[in-house]
Amino acid sequence: MIRLLLLAPYIGLLWVPFYNFEEPKLFGFPFFYWYQLAWVPLTSLITYFVYRSVRHES
């Protein structure tokens, strides 16, 4: 069940019109760029948690 978390980055980045905006800006970066960049560490964390949970199951 926790493996479904791996779909979150896919779904979060699938529909470009969902995040193709300029506002709100973060440190001068439009939302479009920092939203995608935010998924990089978030995806790493999700992968880490899924790996840890699957490793302990077996």
Side-chain angles (χ1 to χ4, degrees):
M1 189 68 177
I2 197 158
R3 294 176 185 165
L4 291 176
L5 283 174
L6 293 174
L7 290 175
Y10 177 73
I11 293 170
L13 294 170
L14 183 64
W15 293 284
V16 176
F18 176 70
Y19 57 89
N20 190 13
F21 301 107
E22 194 164 325
E23 296 291 331
K25 291 184 177 184
L26 182 67
F27 305 115
F29 289 98
F31 179 74
F32 179 78
Y33 292 113
W34 68 259
Y35 177 79
Q36 292 179 67
L37 190 60
W39 275 104
V40 174
L42 190 60
T43 302
S44 299
L45 285 173
I46 290 171
T47 304
Y48 172 75
F49 286 124
V50 170
Y51 171 74
R52 295 282 298 188
S53 66
V54 170
R55 194 178 79 170
H56 288 292
E57 284 180 1
S58 57

